[in-house]
C-alpha cells in the first residue's frame, strides 16, 4: 500500500476584471445602515489558462456586460458588500458573478474611500468576500 503524502493547498490567480461604473447613489438610511448602490456599466476580464493535476482550462477573455454593487454602511468602519454582475466571453458565453463580503477601514480611510480617493490595503483597510 502506498503512503499518502498531504499536499499544501495551491492558490492560483483566478481572474482579472477591470470595470467601468457610475458613482454611488446614496439611497438612504435603512435602519441598519446607509444603503448605496453603484451601477457597473462595462469593462473587460481575463481568466488565465490553468493547469493542475488532471485539471486544465484555456485562457478566457471577454467583456463585463453590467451589474450592481449594493453596499450598506453600518458604521464609520464597517460596510457589507453584495456585488452581482455578468460577463460575456469572446466566444459568446455568459458568466454570472456574485460575491458578498465585508469591508473594514479606519474612519480616516473610509472617508477617503467615500471621496473616491485610493487607499492602500493594510491593518487599517481590508476586506473579505466570498464568491457565491
Amino acid at each position: 500500500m502506498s503512503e499518502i503524502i498531504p499536499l499544501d493547498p495551491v492558490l492560483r490567480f483566478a481572474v482579472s476584471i477591470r470595470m467601468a461604473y457610475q458613482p454611488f447613489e446614496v439611497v438612504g438610511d435603512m435602519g441598519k445602515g446607509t444603503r448605496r448602490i453603484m451601477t457597473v456599466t462595462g469593462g473587460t476580464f481575463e481568466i488565465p489558462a490553468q493547469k493542475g493535476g488532471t485539471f486544465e482550462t484555456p485562457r478566457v477573455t471577454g467583456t463585463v456586460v453590467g451589474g450592481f454593487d449594493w453596499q450598506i454602511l453600518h458604521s464609520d468602519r464597517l460596510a457589507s458588500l453584495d456585488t452581482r454582475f455578468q460577463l460575456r466571453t469572446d466566444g459568446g458565453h455568459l458568466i454570472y458573478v456574485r460575491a458578498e463580503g465585508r469591508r473594514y477601514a479606519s474612519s480616516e480611510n473610509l472617508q477617503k474611500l467615500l471621496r473616491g480617493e485610493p487607499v492602500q490595503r493594510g491593518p487599517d483597510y481590508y476586506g473579505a468576500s466570498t464568491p457565491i
Side-chain angles (χ1 to χ4, degrees):
M1 185 170 198
S2 64
E3 179 183 348
I4 297 175
I5 301 171
L7 300 174
D8 290 335
V10 176
L11 302 176
R12 290 188 175 89
F13 180 72
V15 64
S16 174
I17 302 173
R18 297 185 184 274
M19 289 188 188
Y21 49 87
Q22 296 176 348
F24 277 104
E25 295 182 56
V26 177
V27 176
D29 187 3
M30 300 180 46
K32 61 181 179 177
T34 301
R35 164 75 70 191
R36 64 187 201 152
I37 301 170
M38 178 180 66
T39 302
V40 177
T41 59
T44 60
F45 76 94
E46 176 185 0
I47 302 171
Q50 302 286 333
K51 185 174 183 176
T54 59
F55 181 79
E56 187 173 345
T57 64
R59 177 177 176 261
V60 178
T61 59
T63 58
V64 178
V65 177
F68 295 92
D69 181 3
W70 294 277
Q71 295 187 3
I72 299 174
L73 305 176
H74 294 285
S75 68
D76 64 350
R77 296 184 57 86
L78 171 65
S80 295
L81 315 173
D82 181 4
T83 304
R84 305 172 197 198
F85 54 94
Q86 192 162 322
L87 308 174
R88 176 175 278 116
T89 69
D90 291 338
H93 300 281
L94 295 174
I95 302 170
Y96 174 69
V97 180
R98 179 177 176 197
E100 292 181 349
R102 304 282 182 270
R103 184 191 63 227
Y104 302 90
S106 66
S107 298
E108 178 184 331
N109 282 340
L110 184 59
Q111 291 307 311
K112 287 180 183 178
L113 290 169
L114 292 173
R115 291 190 301 265
E117 298 173 16
V119 175
Q120 285 289 97
R121 297 228 183 236
D124 290 332
Y125 174 56
Y126 61 94
S129 65
T130 304
I132 299 173

